[in-house]
């Protein structure tokens, strides 16, 4: 696995280490949007949101490493070398051949460490090491110049974002209706309640206004090559990071105004060397204009 992961010019294969399968998926997730300024007015549907600007939070990410050694002495030496690598001044430059990208990350800690084989007895030693990093510049992963997707997918999903079919990004929409078409919560009127009364008194002498719905789009994205994946993935991110509201269209008839919040449940189904197959959920918030 020589050359698969290089940290600050050190090939971790020389330390008896490699990145575990699926242990690098956090690196590609879209960053979370910082909450825009908003007001919630009782007499209006939804939120009064300022979407004229968009900013993103720094991204906490984790990489899961595997370390192996043939003796306790070698195990401690390799672990110490890795620790010194993590604790060096500055950011860590981490190249991953799986993505053919270099990530600039700041080491923050080790939330999980599972060692096998002990140290005293002879025999193989190993450890699974989860390392937390902070991606202070969450946009470093993306090409912000990519405008349009280019996918070989032909089956429509009947879901569009700003007029572009999700299939154009190589995406099959697994689930959206459960949140996009659900009945909205409403803004409650005044309610009187105290310990000396049964039940409560609620003001119902008004036409209810809707709360903004939280919309979750469960996606399965495929690309035949890594370059095709990056083009479509960048194009999708650049669409979602546009200022102003986004238009989500369902079945070519139903439009919902919304804005991007975050990505969750990211999973990589196979190595990118074979083809890019990933799953994720896009989280959006409805707005009323």
């Amino acid at each position: 696995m020589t050359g698969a992961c290089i940290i600050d010019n050190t090939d971790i294969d020389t330390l008896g280490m490699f990145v575990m399968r699926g242990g690098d998926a956090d690196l590609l997730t879209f960053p979370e949007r910082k909450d825009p300024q908003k007001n919630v007015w009782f007499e209006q549907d939804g939120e009064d949101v300022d979407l004229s600007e968009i900013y993103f939070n720094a991204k906490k990410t984790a990489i899961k490493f595997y370390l192996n050694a043939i003796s306790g002495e070698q195990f401690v030496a390799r672990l110490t070398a890795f620790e010194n690598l993590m604790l060096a001044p500055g950011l860590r430059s981490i190249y991953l051949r799986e993505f053919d990208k270099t990530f600039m990350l700041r080491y923050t800690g080790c939330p999980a460490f599972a060692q096998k084989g002990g140290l005293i007895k002879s025999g193989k030693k190993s450890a699974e090491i989860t390392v937390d990093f902070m991606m202070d510049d969450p946009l470093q992963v993306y090409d912000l110049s990519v405008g349009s997707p280019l996918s070989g997918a032909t089956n429509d999903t009947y879901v569009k974002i700003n007029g572009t079919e999700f299939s154009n990004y190589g995406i099959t929409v697994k689930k959206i209706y459960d949140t996009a078409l659900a009945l909205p919560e409403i803004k409650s009127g005044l309610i009187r309640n105290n310990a000396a009364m049964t039940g409560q008194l609620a003001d119902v002498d008004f036409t209810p206004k809707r709360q903004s719905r939280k919309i979750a789009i469960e996606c399965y994205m495929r690309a035949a090559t890594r370059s095709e994946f990056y083009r479509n993935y960048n194009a999708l991110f650049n669409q979602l990071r546009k200022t102003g509201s986004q238009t989500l269209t369902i079945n070519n008839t139903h439009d919902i105004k919304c804005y991007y919040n975050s990505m969750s449940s990211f999973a990589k189904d196979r190595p990118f060397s074979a083809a890019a197959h990933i799953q994720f959920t896009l989280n959006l918030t409805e707005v009323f204009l």
Side-chain angles (χ1 to χ4, degrees):
M1 302 184 72
T2 302
C5 177
I6 299 173
I7 303 178
D8 293 347
N9 298 318
T10 297
D11 189 334
I12 67 170
D13 183 61
T14 64
L15 304 179
M17 298 183 69
F18 59 84
V19 175
M20 298 177 65
R21 178 176 295 180
D24 51 13
D26 273 0
L27 292 164
L28 290 185
T29 57
F30 290 170
E32 181 183 39
R33 180 183 188 148
K34 290 186 176 180
D35 284 338
Q37 294 185 356
K38 66 184 74 172
N39 288 306
V40 180
W41 308 110
F42 177 74
E43 64 273 14
Q44 295 179 2
D45 286 321
E47 303 167 342
D48 181 9
V49 188
D50 180 5
L51 299 176
S52 62
E53 297 178 307
I54 182 169
Y55 302 101
F56 298 95
N57 288 314
K59 188 170 72 174
K60 182 178 180 180
T61 187
I63 302 178
K64 297 179 181 179
F65 297 95
Y66 186 87
L67 185 155
N68 65 81
I70 60 174
S71 68
E73 183 179 3
Q74 186 185 61
F75 179 87
V76 171
R78 288 178 168 181
L79 181 62
T80 300
F82 182 66
E83 179 180 336
N84 291 338
L85 198 59
M86 291 297 101
L87 296 181
L91 300 178
R92 302 283 67 77
S93 170
I94 302 180
Y95 171 79
L96 292 173
R97 186 170 58 198
E98 166 75 356
F99 302 133
D100 193 24
K101 282 186 178 295
T102 298
F103 303 86
M104 302 303 296
L105 306 174
R106 177 167 52 87
Y107 170 78
T108 60
C110 176
F113 185 96
Q115 199 267 357
K116 293 183 179 180
L119 293 179
I120 305 302
K121 294 182 179 179
S122 62
K124 180 182 176 181
K125 318 298 178 186
S126 66
E128 295 181 5
I129 308 170
T130 300
V131 179
D132 278 347
F133 297 95
M134 188 64 71
M135 189 182 292
D136 295 308
D137 174 12
L139 301 185
Q140 63 179 267
V141 178
Y142 309 104
D143 183 345
L144 303 183
S145 67
V146 177
S148 58
L150 184 64
S151 172
T154 57
N155 296 328
D156 284 353
T157 65
Y158 299 101
V159 181
K160 297 178 180 179
I161 185 74
N162 295 330
T164 300
E165 243 287 343
F166 268 68
S167 61
N168 290 2
Y169 299 96
I171 292 174
T172 299
V173 175
K174 297 170 58 180
K175 186 181 291 187
I176 185 174
Y177 297 152
D178 290 2
T179 53
L181 299 182
L183 296 180
E185 301 291 325
I186 64 167
K187 296 179 180 180
S188 298
L190 295 174
I191 295 176
R192 291 179 56 199
N193 193 358
N194 59 60
M197 64 184 298
T198 298
Q200 61 186 18
L201 296 176
D203 179 12
V204 295
D205 191 20
F206 61 91
T207 301
K209 297 298 181 180
R210 295 169 288 179
Q211 301 273 19
S212 294
R213 287 176 291 191
K214 301 296 183 180
I215 300 170
I217 310 175
E218 295 184 16
C219 301
Y220 186 75
M221 185 176 188
R222 288 177 286 186
T225 64
R226 189 163 51 195
S227 60
E228 178 187 335
F229 165 76
Y230 281 137
R231 179 186 178 94
N232 294 333
Y233 200 62
N234 284 316
L236 177 61
F237 178 67
N238 289 334
Q239 190 72 247
L240 294 172
R241 72 181 184 88
K242 288 182 176 179
T243 57
S245 64
Q246 314 289 315
T247 301
L248 187 65
T249 303
I250 300 174
N251 199 30
N252 296 322
T253 59
H254 185 56
D255 287 345
I256 302 173
K257 295 293 185 180
C258 57
Y259 63 90
Y260 166 79
N261 293 115
S262 64
M263 174 185 280
S264 58
S265 304
F266 186 101
K268 187 176 60 165
D269 288 354
R270 62 176 65 183
F272 277 27
S273 57
H277 287 200
I278 63 171
Q279 300 185 54
F280 55 85
T281 299
L282 296 175
N283 302 300
L284 312 173
T285 297
E286 180 182 27
V287 292
F288 299 90
L289 301 175

